Amino acid sequence: MPEETRTFARMIKGVIEEAEAIDWYEQHKSVEKDEEAKSIMKNAQEEEFKHFAMDLEFLLRKKPKWRAIMQNVLFKEGDIVELGEAAEEKAD
């Protein structure tokens, strides 16, 4: 398997792992009663979100079509599904 493909797979796995960590912290914060512990979890979750964003940005730099689709969906007003459909058509 080419090195580029292996790097891509590792970065995809990174996105998945960061998303799982973000979810873990979200669930634990929602039931934590100790405010100091909750504050630590919140801080840790924000770090995971930063890592998620960096991994995703790396992938989007390697996949211009993905970037084009996301640029036409993210941070836009309107129906998310309709934006997605239009973005996909526009990218093709």
Side-chain angles (χ1 to χ4, degrees), residues 52-90:
F52 177 90
M54 292 186 310
D55 289 352
L56 183 59
E57 179 62 22
F58 176 89
L59 292 168
L60 294 177
R61 289 180 183 188
K62 302 294 183 185
K63 299 290 186 181
K65 183 176 178 180
W66 290 11
R67 178 175 290 283
I69 291 170
M70 288 201 178
Q71 286 175 328
N72 286 294
V73 175
L74 298 176
F75 312 110
K76 305 286 185 191
E77 296 293 324
D79 183 274
I80 296 169
V81 174
E82 289 176 10
L83 288 168
E85 294 295 326
E88 190 173 37
E89 287 176 20
K90 188 175 180 180

PDB file of all heavy atoms in Angstrom, residues 52-90:
ATOM      1  N   PHE A  52      -9.341  17.110  16.575  1.00  0.00           N
ATOM      2  CA  PHE A  52     -10.294  16.713  15.538  1.00  0.00           C
ATOM      3  C   PHE A  52     -10.214  17.690  14.361  1.00  0.00           C
ATOM      4  O   PHE A  52     -10.125  17.284  13.196  1.00  0.00           O
ATOM      5  CB  PHE A  52     -11.712  16.693  16.137  1.00  0.00           C
ATOM      6  CG  PHE A  52     -12.792  16.377  15.153  1.00  0.00           C
ATOM      7  CD1 PHE A  52     -13.189  15.066  14.924  1.00  0.00           C
ATOM      8  CD2 PHE A  52     -13.453  17.393  14.469  1.00  0.00           C
ATOM      9  CE1 PHE A  52     -14.202  14.772  14.024  1.00  0.00           C
ATOM     10  CE2 PHE A  52     -14.465  17.113  13.571  1.00  0.00           C
ATOM     11  CZ  PHE A  52     -14.845  15.794  13.346  1.00  0.00           C
ATOM     12  N   ALA A  53     -10.221  18.982  14.678  1.00  0.00           N
ATOM     13  CA  ALA A  53     -10.184  20.003  13.629  1.00  0.00           C
ATOM     14  C   ALA A  53      -8.891  19.929  12.824  1.00  0.00           C
ATOM     15  O   ALA A  53      -8.918  20.050  11.588  1.00  0.00           O
ATOM     16  CB  ALA A  53     -10.347  21.391  14.250  1.00  0.00           C
ATOM     17  N   MET A  54      -7.765  19.717  13.497  1.00  0.00           N
ATOM     18  CA  MET A  54      -6.493  19.648  12.779  1.00  0.00           C
ATOM     19  C   MET A  54      -6.432  18.421  11.875  1.00  0.00           C
ATOM     20  O   MET A  54      -5.982  18.516  10.721  1.00  0.00           O
ATOM     21  CB  MET A  54      -5.326  19.639  13.776  1.00  0.00           C
ATOM     22  CG  MET A  54      -5.166  20.958  14.510  1.00  0.00           C
ATOM     23  SD  MET A  54      -3.700  21.095  15.573  1.00  0.00           S
ATOM     24  CE  MET A  54      -3.752  19.605  16.550  1.00  0.00           C
ATOM     25  N   ASP A  55      -6.893  17.279  12.382  1.00  0.00           N
ATOM     26  CA  ASP A  55      -6.916  16.065  11.559  1.00  0.00           C
ATOM     27  C   ASP A  55      -7.813  16.264  10.334  1.00  0.00           C
ATOM     28  O   ASP A  55      -7.454  15.896   9.212  1.00  0.00           O
ATOM     29  CB  ASP A  55      -7.421  14.865  12.364  1.00  0.00           C
ATOM     30  CG  ASP A  55      -6.439  14.380  13.426  1.00  0.00           C
ATOM     31  OD1 ASP A  55      -5.290  14.863  13.455  1.00  0.00           O
ATOM     32  OD2 ASP A  55      -6.839  13.521  14.229  1.00  0.00           O
ATOM     33  N   LEU A  56      -8.983  16.851  10.561  1.00  0.00           N
ATOM     34  CA  LEU A  56      -9.920  17.079   9.465  1.00  0.00           C
ATOM     35  C   LEU A  56      -9.336  18.042   8.439  1.00  0.00           C
ATOM     36  O   LEU A  56      -9.430  17.805   7.223  1.00  0.00           O
ATOM     37  CB  LEU A  56     -11.253  17.603  10.007  1.00  0.00           C
ATOM     38  CG  LEU A  56     -12.346  17.819   8.984  1.00  0.00           C
ATOM     39  CD1 LEU A  56     -12.683  16.534   8.244  1.00  0.00           C
ATOM     40  CD2 LEU A  56     -13.592  18.380   9.674  1.00  0.00           C
ATOM     41  N   GLU A  57      -8.703  19.097   8.902  1.00  0.00           N
ATOM     42  CA  GLU A  57      -8.099  20.059   7.973  1.00  0.00           C
ATOM     43  C   GLU A  57      -7.018  19.390   7.123  1.00  0.00           C
ATOM     44  O   GLU A  57      -6.928  19.638   5.917  1.00  0.00           O
ATOM     45  CB  GLU A  57      -7.518  21.252   8.731  1.00  0.00           C
ATOM     46  CG  GLU A  57      -6.841  22.281   7.847  1.00  0.00           C
ATOM     47  CD  GLU A  57      -7.750  22.942   6.822  1.00  0.00           C
ATOM     48  OE1 GLU A  57      -8.992  22.963   7.010  1.00  0.00           O
ATOM     49  OE2 GLU A  57      -7.223  23.456   5.820  1.00  0.00           O
ATOM     50  N   PHE A  58      -6.218  18.530   7.726  1.00  0.00           N
ATOM     51  CA  PHE A  58      -5.200  17.790   6.971  1.00  0.00           C
ATOM     52  C   PHE A  58      -5.854  17.011   5.833  1.00  0.00           C
ATOM     53  O   PHE A  58      -5.404  17.055   4.685  1.00  0.00           O
ATOM     54  CB  PHE A  58      -4.426  16.844   7.899  1.00  0.00           C
ATOM     55  CG  PHE A  58      -3.438  15.991   7.177  1.00  0.00           C
ATOM     56  CD1 PHE A  58      -2.141  16.433   6.963  1.00  0.00           C
ATOM     57  CD2 PHE A  58      -3.793  14.731   6.691  1.00  0.00           C
ATOM     58  CE1 PHE A  58      -1.218  15.646   6.280  1.00  0.00           C
ATOM     59  CE2 PHE A  58      -2.878  13.936   6.013  1.00  0.00           C
ATOM     60  CZ  PHE A  58      -1.595  14.397   5.807  1.00  0.00           C
ATOM     61  N   LEU A  59      -6.924  16.286   6.182  1.00  0.00           N
ATOM     62  CA  LEU A  59      -7.613  15.477   5.169  1.00  0.00           C
ATOM     63  C   LEU A  59      -8.221  16.341   4.075  1.00  0.00           C
ATOM     64  O   LEU A  59      -8.162  15.998   2.894  1.00  0.00           O
ATOM     65  CB  LEU A  59      -8.693  14.615   5.836  1.00  0.00           C
ATOM     66  CG  LEU A  59      -8.163  13.509   6.739  1.00  0.00           C
ATOM     67  CD1 LEU A  59      -9.298  12.923   7.574  1.00  0.00           C
ATOM     68  CD2 LEU A  59      -7.455  12.434   5.928  1.00  0.00           C
ATOM     69  N   LEU A  60      -8.802  17.463   4.450  1.00  0.00           N
ATOM     70  CA  LEU A  60      -9.427  18.334   3.459  1.00  0.00           C
ATOM     71  C   LEU A  60      -8.402  18.955   2.521  1.00  0.00           C
ATOM     72  O   LEU A  60      -8.705  19.234   1.358  1.00  0.00           O
ATOM     73  CB  LEU A  60     -10.252  19.418   4.144  1.00  0.00           C
ATOM     74  CG  LEU A  60     -11.476  18.911   4.909  1.00  0.00           C
ATOM     75  CD1 LEU A  60     -12.175  20.065   5.614  1.00  0.00           C
ATOM     76  CD2 LEU A  60     -12.430  18.164   4.001  1.00  0.00           C
ATOM     77  N   ARG A  61      -7.198  19.158   3.009  1.00  0.00           N
ATOM     78  CA  ARG A  61      -6.141  19.664   2.131  1.00  0.00           C
ATOM     79  C   ARG A  61      -5.714  18.611   1.113  1.00  0.00           C
ATOM     80  O   ARG A  61      -5.232  18.948   0.035  1.00  0.00           O
ATOM     81  CB  ARG A  61      -4.938  20.115   2.957  1.00  0.00           C
ATOM     82  CG  ARG A  61      -5.223  21.378   3.730  1.00  0.00           C
ATOM     83  CD  ARG A  61      -4.037  21.818   4.549  1.00  0.00           C
ATOM     84  NE  ARG A  61      -4.387  22.998   5.329  1.00  0.00           N
ATOM     85  CZ  ARG A  61      -3.518  23.702   6.025  1.00  0.00           C
ATOM     86  NH1 ARG A  61      -2.236  23.357   6.033  1.00  0.00           N
ATOM     87  NH2 ARG A  61      -3.921  24.753   6.720  1.00  0.00           N
ATOM     88  N   LYS A  62      -5.896  17.358   1.437  1.00  0.00           N
ATOM     89  CA  LYS A  62      -5.538  16.266   0.529  1.00  0.00           C
ATOM     90  C   LYS A  62      -6.675  15.904  -0.418  1.00  0.00           C
ATOM     91  O   LYS A  62      -6.442  15.250  -1.434  1.00  0.00           O
ATOM     92  CB  LYS A  62      -5.142  15.011   1.324  1.00  0.00           C
ATOM     93  CG  LYS A  62      -3.988  15.211   2.283  1.00  0.00           C
ATOM     94  CD  LYS A  62      -2.710  15.502   1.536  1.00  0.00           C
ATOM     95  CE  LYS A  62      -1.537  15.631   2.498  1.00  0.00           C
ATOM     96  NZ  LYS A  62      -0.315  16.023   1.840  1.00  0.00           N
ATOM     97  N   LYS A  63      -7.896  16.284  -0.083  1.00  0.00           N
ATOM     98  CA  LYS A  63      -9.072  15.912  -0.876  1.00  0.00           C
ATOM     99  C   LYS A  63      -9.851  17.172  -1.268  1.00  0.00           C
ATOM    100  O   LYS A  63     -10.807  17.568  -0.597  1.00  0.00           O
ATOM    101  CB  LYS A  63      -9.990  14.975  -0.082  1.00  0.00           C
ATOM    102  CG  LYS A  63      -9.352  13.656   0.318  1.00  0.00           C
ATOM    103  CD  LYS A  63      -9.130  12.778  -0.905  1.00  0.00           C
ATOM    104  CE  LYS A  63      -8.626  11.403  -0.513  1.00  0.00           C
ATOM    105  NZ  LYS A  63      -8.392  10.565  -1.659  1.00  0.00           N
ATOM    106  N   PRO A  64      -9.466  17.825  -2.347  1.00  0.00           N
ATOM    107  CA  PRO A  64     -10.115  19.077  -2.748  1.00  0.00           C
ATOM    108  C   PRO A  64     -11.632  18.966  -2.923  1.00  0.00           C
ATOM    109  O   PRO A  64     -12.361  19.908  -2.610  1.00  0.00           O
ATOM    110  CB  PRO A  64      -9.430  19.434  -4.064  1.00  0.00           C
ATOM    111  CG  PRO A  64      -8.111  18.733  -4.008  1.00  0.00           C
ATOM    112  CD  PRO A  64      -8.355  17.474  -3.224  1.00  0.00           C
ATOM    113  N   LYS A  65     -12.109  17.824  -3.414  1.00  0.00           N
ATOM    114  CA  LYS A  65     -13.560  17.675  -3.589  1.00  0.00           C
ATOM    115  C   LYS A  65     -14.263  17.702  -2.234  1.00  0.00           C
ATOM    116  O   LYS A  65     -15.320  18.318  -2.090  1.00  0.00           O
ATOM    117  CB  LYS A  65     -13.890  16.384  -4.337  1.00  0.00           C
ATOM    118  CG  LYS A  65     -15.374  16.220  -4.599  1.00  0.00           C
ATOM    119  CD  LYS A  65     -15.669  14.987  -5.422  1.00  0.00           C
ATOM    120  CE  LYS A  65     -17.157  14.825  -5.631  1.00  0.00           C
ATOM    121  NZ  LYS A  65     -17.476  13.639  -6.417  1.00  0.00           N
ATOM    122  N   TRP A  66     -13.692  17.039  -1.239  1.00  0.00           N
ATOM    123  CA  TRP A  66     -14.273  17.063   0.107  1.00  0.00           C
ATOM    124  C   TRP A  66     -14.330  18.501   0.618  1.00  0.00           C
ATOM    125  O   TRP A  66     -15.316  18.937   1.196  1.00  0.00           O
ATOM    126  CB  TRP A  66     -13.436  16.240   1.072  1.00  0.00           C
ATOM    127  CG  TRP A  66     -13.474  14.767   0.865  1.00  0.00           C
ATOM    128  CD1 TRP A  66     -13.990  14.078  -0.191  1.00  0.00           C
ATOM    129  CD2 TRP A  66     -12.947  13.789   1.749  1.00  0.00           C
ATOM    130  NE1 TRP A  66     -13.812  12.724  -0.017  1.00  0.00           N
ATOM    131  CE2 TRP A  66     -13.166  12.527   1.162  1.00  0.00           C
ATOM    132  CE3 TRP A  66     -12.278  13.861   2.973  1.00  0.00           C
ATOM    133  CZ2 TRP A  66     -12.767  11.347   1.772  1.00  0.00           C
ATOM    134  CZ3 TRP A  66     -11.880  12.686   3.577  1.00  0.00           C
ATOM    135  CH2 TRP A  66     -12.127  11.440   2.986  1.00  0.00           C
ATOM    136  N   ARG A  67     -13.227  19.244   0.411  1.00  0.00           N
ATOM    137  CA  ARG A  67     -13.170  20.637   0.865  1.00  0.00           C
ATOM    138  C   ARG A  67     -14.266  21.464   0.176  1.00  0.00           C
ATOM    139  O   ARG A  67     -14.971  22.233   0.825  1.00  0.00           O
ATOM    140  CB  ARG A  67     -11.803  21.248   0.588  1.00  0.00           C
ATOM    141  CG  ARG A  67     -11.718  22.724   1.014  1.00  0.00           C
ATOM    142  CD  ARG A  67     -10.343  23.302   0.843  1.00  0.00           C
ATOM    143  NE  ARG A  67      -9.392  22.779   1.783  1.00  0.00           N
ATOM    144  CZ  ARG A  67      -9.300  23.141   3.065  1.00  0.00           C
ATOM    145  NH1 ARG A  67     -10.125  24.017   3.552  1.00  0.00           N
ATOM    146  NH2 ARG A  67      -8.389  22.612   3.850  1.00  0.00           N
ATOM    147  N   ALA A  68     -14.427  21.268  -1.119  1.00  0.00           N
ATOM    148  CA  ALA A  68     -15.437  22.017  -1.865  1.00  0.00           C
ATOM    149  C   ALA A  68     -16.835  21.736  -1.318  1.00  0.00           C
ATOM    150  O   ALA A  68     -17.647  22.649  -1.140  1.00  0.00           O
ATOM    151  CB  ALA A  68     -15.357  21.681  -3.351  1.00  0.00           C
ATOM    152  N   ILE A  69     -17.122  20.483  -1.037  1.00  0.00           N
ATOM    153  CA  ILE A  69     -18.435  20.126  -0.496  1.00  0.00           C
ATOM    154  C   ILE A  69     -18.623  20.755   0.875  1.00  0.00           C
ATOM    155  O   ILE A  69     -19.657  21.379   1.149  1.00  0.00           O
ATOM    156  CB  ILE A  69     -18.615  18.591  -0.457  1.00  0.00           C
ATOM    157  CG1 ILE A  69     -18.723  18.042  -1.885  1.00  0.00           C
ATOM    158  CG2 ILE A  69     -19.834  18.203   0.385  1.00  0.00           C
ATOM    159  CD1 ILE A  69     -18.663  16.530  -1.988  1.00  0.00           C
ATOM    160  N   MET A  70     -17.632  20.622   1.728  1.00  0.00           N
ATOM    161  CA  MET A  70     -17.765  21.175   3.085  1.00  0.00           C
ATOM    162  C   MET A  70     -17.906  22.687   3.075  1.00  0.00           C
ATOM    163  O   MET A  70     -18.651  23.245   3.877  1.00  0.00           O
ATOM    164  CB  MET A  70     -16.594  20.732   3.950  1.00  0.00           C
ATOM    165  CG  MET A  70     -16.684  19.277   4.304  1.00  0.00           C
ATOM    166  SD  MET A  70     -15.696  18.944   5.757  1.00  0.00           S
ATOM    167  CE  MET A  70     -16.037  17.203   5.951  1.00  0.00           C
ATOM    168  N   GLN A  71     -17.193  23.345   2.171  1.00  0.00           N
ATOM    169  CA  GLN A  71     -17.292  24.801   2.102  1.00  0.00           C
ATOM    170  C   GLN A  71     -18.688  25.258   1.699  1.00  0.00           C
ATOM    171  O   GLN A  71     -19.074  26.386   1.996  1.00  0.00           O
ATOM    172  CB  GLN A  71     -16.255  25.365   1.124  1.00  0.00           C
ATOM    173  CG  GLN A  71     -14.855  25.324   1.679  1.00  0.00           C
ATOM    174  CD  GLN A  71     -13.811  25.765   0.679  1.00  0.00           C
ATOM    175  OE1 GLN A  71     -13.947  25.557  -0.541  1.00  0.00           O
ATOM    176  NE2 GLN A  71     -12.740  26.352   1.173  1.00  0.00           N
ATOM    177  N   ASN A  72     -19.431  24.386   1.043  1.00  0.00           N
ATOM    178  CA  ASN A  72     -20.781  24.741   0.625  1.00  0.00           C
ATOM    179  C   ASN A  72     -21.862  24.218   1.568  1.00  0.00           C
ATOM    180  O   ASN A  72     -23.048  24.387   1.286  1.00  0.00           O
ATOM    181  CB  ASN A  72     -21.023  24.245  -0.797  1.00  0.00           C
ATOM    182  CG  ASN A  72     -20.281  25.098  -1.799  1.00  0.00           C
ATOM    183  OD1 ASN A  72     -20.578  26.263  -1.963  1.00  0.00           O
ATOM    184  ND2 ASN A  72     -19.282  24.528  -2.435  1.00  0.00           N
ATOM    185  N   VAL A  73     -21.451  23.595   2.669  1.00  0.00           N
ATOM    186  CA  VAL A  73     -22.398  23.100   3.663  1.00  0.00           C
ATOM    187  C   VAL A  73     -22.167  23.760   5.020  1.00  0.00           C
ATOM    188  O   VAL A  73     -23.102  24.267   5.647  1.00  0.00           O
ATOM    189  CB  VAL A  73     -22.297  21.558   3.811  1.00  0.00           C
ATOM    190  CG1 VAL A  73     -23.198  21.065   4.942  1.00  0.00           C
ATOM    191  CG2 VAL A  73     -22.653  20.863   2.503  1.00  0.00           C
ATOM    192  N   LEU A  74     -20.921  23.763   5.463  1.00  0.00           N
ATOM    193  CA  LEU A  74     -20.611  24.263   6.809  1.00  0.00           C
ATOM    194  C   LEU A  74     -20.807  25.774   6.914  1.00  0.00           C
ATOM    195  O   LEU A  74     -20.485  26.519   5.983  1.00  0.00           O
ATOM    196  CB  LEU A  74     -19.175  23.905   7.181  1.00  0.00           C
ATOM    197  CG  LEU A  74     -18.858  22.418   7.252  1.00  0.00           C
ATOM    198  CD1 LEU A  74     -17.367  22.216   7.538  1.00  0.00           C
ATOM    199  CD2 LEU A  74     -19.690  21.724   8.307  1.00  0.00           C
ATOM    200  N   PHE A  75     -21.335  26.186   8.040  1.00  0.00           N
ATOM    201  CA  PHE A  75     -21.509  27.599   8.378  1.00  0.00           C
ATOM    202  C   PHE A  75     -22.451  28.337   7.426  1.00  0.00           C
ATOM    203  O   PHE A  75     -22.338  29.536   7.232  1.00  0.00           O
ATOM    204  CB  PHE A  75     -20.150  28.309   8.461  1.00  0.00           C
ATOM    205  CG  PHE A  75     -19.154  27.558   9.283  1.00  0.00           C
ATOM    206  CD1 PHE A  75     -18.060  26.951   8.687  1.00  0.00           C
ATOM    207  CD2 PHE A  75     -19.315  27.426  10.656  1.00  0.00           C
ATOM    208  CE1 PHE A  75     -17.138  26.233   9.441  1.00  0.00           C
ATOM    209  CE2 PHE A  75     -18.404  26.720  11.424  1.00  0.00           C
ATOM    210  CZ  PHE A  75     -17.309  26.120  10.815  1.00  0.00           C
ATOM    211  N   LYS A  76     -23.357  27.592   6.827  1.00  0.00           N
ATOM    212  CA  LYS A  76     -24.347  28.173   5.909  1.00  0.00           C
ATOM    213  C   LYS A  76     -25.727  28.099   6.551  1.00  0.00           C
ATOM    214  O   LYS A  76     -26.041  27.145   7.262  1.00  0.00           O
ATOM    215  CB  LYS A  76     -24.392  27.410   4.579  1.00  0.00           C
ATOM    216  CG  LYS A  76     -23.074  27.280   3.869  1.00  0.00           C
ATOM    217  CD  LYS A  76     -22.650  28.571   3.245  1.00  0.00           C
ATOM    218  CE  LYS A  76     -21.375  28.345   2.434  1.00  0.00           C
ATOM    219  NZ  LYS A  76     -20.763  29.554   1.998  1.00  0.00           N
ATOM    220  N   GLU A  77     -26.543  29.079   6.281  1.00  0.00           N
ATOM    221  CA  GLU A  77     -27.938  29.073   6.722  1.00  0.00           C
ATOM    222  C   GLU A  77     -28.753  28.228   5.750  1.00  0.00           C
ATOM    223  O   GLU A  77     -28.423  28.135   4.571  1.00  0.00           O
ATOM    224  CB  GLU A  77     -28.496  30.500   6.744  1.00  0.00           C
ATOM    225  CG  GLU A  77     -27.810  31.419   7.739  1.00  0.00           C
ATOM    226  CD  GLU A  77     -28.069  31.027   9.173  1.00  0.00           C
ATOM    227  OE1 GLU A  77     -29.186  30.566   9.495  1.00  0.00           O
ATOM    228  OE2 GLU A  77     -27.143  31.168   9.998  1.00  0.00           O
ATOM    229  N   GLY A  78     -29.812  27.625   6.249  1.00  0.00           N
ATOM    230  CA  GLY A  78     -30.704  26.871   5.389  1.00  0.00           C
ATOM    231  C   GLY A  78     -30.768  25.410   5.771  1.00  0.00           C
ATOM    232  O   GLY A  78     -30.152  24.969   6.744  1.00  0.00           O
ATOM    233  N   ASP A  79     -31.504  24.668   5.003  1.00  0.00           N
ATOM    234  CA  ASP A  79     -31.700  23.240   5.238  1.00  0.00           C
ATOM    235  C   ASP A  79     -30.394  22.491   4.974  1.00  0.00           C
ATOM    236  O   ASP A  79     -29.834  22.569   3.880  1.00  0.00           O
ATOM    237  CB  ASP A  79     -32.814  22.729   4.323  1.00  0.00           C
ATOM    238  CG  ASP A  79     -33.116  21.266   4.563  1.00  0.00           C
ATOM    239  OD1 ASP A  79     -32.432  20.413   3.948  1.00  0.00           O
ATOM    240  OD2 ASP A  79     -34.018  20.981   5.372  1.00  0.00           O
ATOM    241  N   ILE A  80     -29.922  21.771   5.955  1.00  0.00           N
ATOM    242  CA  ILE A  80     -28.638  21.080   5.861  1.00  0.00           C
ATOM    243  C   ILE A  80     -28.631  20.046   4.741  1.00  0.00           C
ATOM    244  O   ILE A  80     -27.657  19.939   3.985  1.00  0.00           O
ATOM    245  CB  ILE A  80     -28.262  20.446   7.211  1.00  0.00           C
ATOM    246  CG1 ILE A  80     -28.069  21.544   8.258  1.00  0.00           C
ATOM    247  CG2 ILE A  80     -27.010  19.584   7.085  1.00  0.00           C
ATOM    248  CD1 ILE A  80     -27.956  21.042   9.689  1.00  0.00           C
ATOM    249  N   VAL A  81     -29.702  19.299   4.620  1.00  0.00           N
ATOM    250  CA  VAL A  81     -29.763  18.273   3.575  1.00  0.00           C
ATOM    251  C   VAL A  81     -29.733  18.925   2.195  1.00  0.00           C
ATOM    252  O   VAL A  81     -29.002  18.484   1.299  1.00  0.00           O
ATOM    253  CB  VAL A  81     -31.004  17.368   3.750  1.00  0.00           C
ATOM    254  CG1 VAL A  81     -31.144  16.408   2.577  1.00  0.00           C
ATOM    255  CG2 VAL A  81     -30.928  16.605   5.062  1.00  0.00           C
ATOM    256  N   GLU A  82     -30.504  19.966   2.020  1.00  0.00           N
ATOM    257  CA  GLU A  82     -30.515  20.661   0.729  1.00  0.00           C
ATOM    258  C   GLU A  82     -29.139  21.248   0.412  1.00  0.00           C
ATOM    259  O   GLU A  82     -28.678  21.170  -0.731  1.00  0.00           O
ATOM    260  CB  GLU A  82     -31.570  21.760   0.730  1.00  0.00           C
ATOM    261  CG  GLU A  82     -32.989  21.227   0.699  1.00  0.00           C
ATOM    262  CD  GLU A  82     -34.037  22.321   0.803  1.00  0.00           C
ATOM    263  OE1 GLU A  82     -33.680  23.521   0.720  1.00  0.00           O
ATOM    264  OE2 GLU A  82     -35.220  21.974   0.962  1.00  0.00           O
ATOM    265  N   LEU A  83     -28.487  21.832   1.408  1.00  0.00           N
ATOM    266  CA  LEU A  83     -27.142  22.357   1.197  1.00  0.00           C
ATOM    267  C   LEU A  83     -26.190  21.245   0.778  1.00  0.00           C
ATOM    268  O   LEU A  83     -25.365  21.429  -0.119  1.00  0.00           O
ATOM    269  CB  LEU A  83     -26.624  23.032   2.476  1.00  0.00           C
ATOM    270  CG  LEU A  83     -27.256  24.369   2.846  1.00  0.00           C
ATOM    271  CD1 LEU A  83     -26.871  24.761   4.267  1.00  0.00           C
ATOM    272  CD2 LEU A  83     -26.850  25.449   1.863  1.00  0.00           C
ATOM    273  N   GLY A  84     -26.312  20.087   1.430  1.00  0.00           N
ATOM    274  CA  GLY A  84     -25.456  18.951   1.101  1.00  0.00           C
ATOM    275  C   GLY A  84     -25.663  18.461  -0.320  1.00  0.00           C
ATOM    276  O   GLY A  84     -24.701  18.182  -1.047  1.00  0.00           O
ATOM    277  N   GLU A  85     -26.923  18.349  -0.700  1.00  0.00           N
ATOM    278  CA  GLU A  85     -27.230  17.893  -2.068  1.00  0.00           C
ATOM    279  C   GLU A  85     -26.683  18.872  -3.105  1.00  0.00           C
ATOM    280  O   GLU A  85     -26.063  18.468  -4.088  1.00  0.00           O
ATOM    281  CB  GLU A  85     -28.752  17.716  -2.240  1.00  0.00           C
ATOM    282  CG  GLU A  85     -29.352  16.603  -1.408  1.00  0.00           C
ATOM    283  CD  GLU A  85     -28.853  15.219  -1.791  1.00  0.00           C
ATOM    284  OE1 GLU A  85     -28.588  14.980  -2.991  1.00  0.00           O
ATOM    285  OE2 GLU A  85     -28.713  14.385  -0.884  1.00  0.00           O
ATOM    286  N   ALA A  86     -26.910  20.159  -2.861  1.00  0.00           N
ATOM    287  CA  ALA A  86     -26.443  21.177  -3.805  1.00  0.00           C
ATOM    288  C   ALA A  86     -24.908  21.202  -3.851  1.00  0.00           C
ATOM    289  O   ALA A  86     -24.316  21.343  -4.931  1.00  0.00           O
ATOM    290  CB  ALA A  86     -26.981  22.554  -3.410  1.00  0.00           C
ATOM    291  N   ALA A  87     -24.267  21.038  -2.704  1.00  0.00           N
ATOM    292  CA  ALA A  87     -22.809  21.053  -2.656  1.00  0.00           C
ATOM    293  C   ALA A  87     -22.216  19.879  -3.427  1.00  0.00           C
ATOM    294  O   ALA A  87     -21.224  20.019  -4.135  1.00  0.00           O
ATOM    295  CB  ALA A  87     -22.327  21.017  -1.188  1.00  0.00           C
ATOM    296  N   GLU A  88     -22.836  18.725  -3.285  1.00  0.00           N
ATOM    297  CA  GLU A  88     -22.361  17.531  -3.987  1.00  0.00           C
ATOM    298  C   GLU A  88     -22.503  17.697  -5.502  1.00  0.00           C
ATOM    299  O   GLU A  88     -21.583  17.386  -6.264  1.00  0.00           O
ATOM    300  CB  GLU A  88     -23.114  16.303  -3.513  1.00  0.00           C
ATOM    301  CG  GLU A  88     -22.538  15.012  -4.011  1.00  0.00           C
ATOM    302  CD  GLU A  88     -23.220  13.804  -3.388  1.00  0.00           C
ATOM    303  OE1 GLU A  88     -24.447  13.834  -3.161  1.00  0.00           O
ATOM    304  OE2 GLU A  88     -22.516  12.826  -3.155  1.00  0.00           O
ATOM    305  N   GLU A  89     -23.642  18.230  -5.932  1.00  0.00           N
ATOM    306  CA  GLU A  89     -23.862  18.457  -7.366  1.00  0.00           C
ATOM    307  C   GLU A  89     -22.857  19.457  -7.906  1.00  0.00           C
ATOM    308  O   GLU A  89     -22.298  19.280  -8.991  1.00  0.00           O
ATOM    309  CB  GLU A  89     -25.287  18.971  -7.604  1.00  0.00           C
ATOM    310  CG  GLU A  89     -26.346  17.906  -7.441  1.00  0.00           C
ATOM    311  CD  GLU A  89     -27.753  18.480  -7.582  1.00  0.00           C
ATOM    312  OE1 GLU A  89     -27.916  19.576  -8.154  1.00  0.00           O
ATOM    313  OE2 GLU A  89     -28.697  17.790  -7.125  1.00  0.00           O
ATOM    314  N   LYS A  90     -22.623  20.512  -7.142  1.00  0.00           N
ATOM    315  CA  LYS A  90     -21.697  21.554  -7.556  1.00  0.00           C
ATOM    316  C   LYS A  90     -20.269  21.013  -7.665  1.00  0.00           C
ATOM    317  O   LYS A  90     -19.514  21.398  -8.548  1.00  0.00           O
ATOM    318  CB  LYS A  90     -21.738  22.712  -6.558  1.00  0.00           C
ATOM    319  CG  LYS A  90     -20.990  23.926  -6.959  1.00  0.00           C
ATOM    320  CD  LYS A  90     -21.223  25.039  -5.941  1.00  0.00           C
ATOM    321  CE  LYS A  90     -20.461  26.282  -6.327  1.00  0.00           C
ATOM    322  NZ  LYS A  90     -20.659  27.365  -5.357  1.00  0.00           N
TER     323      LYS A  90
END
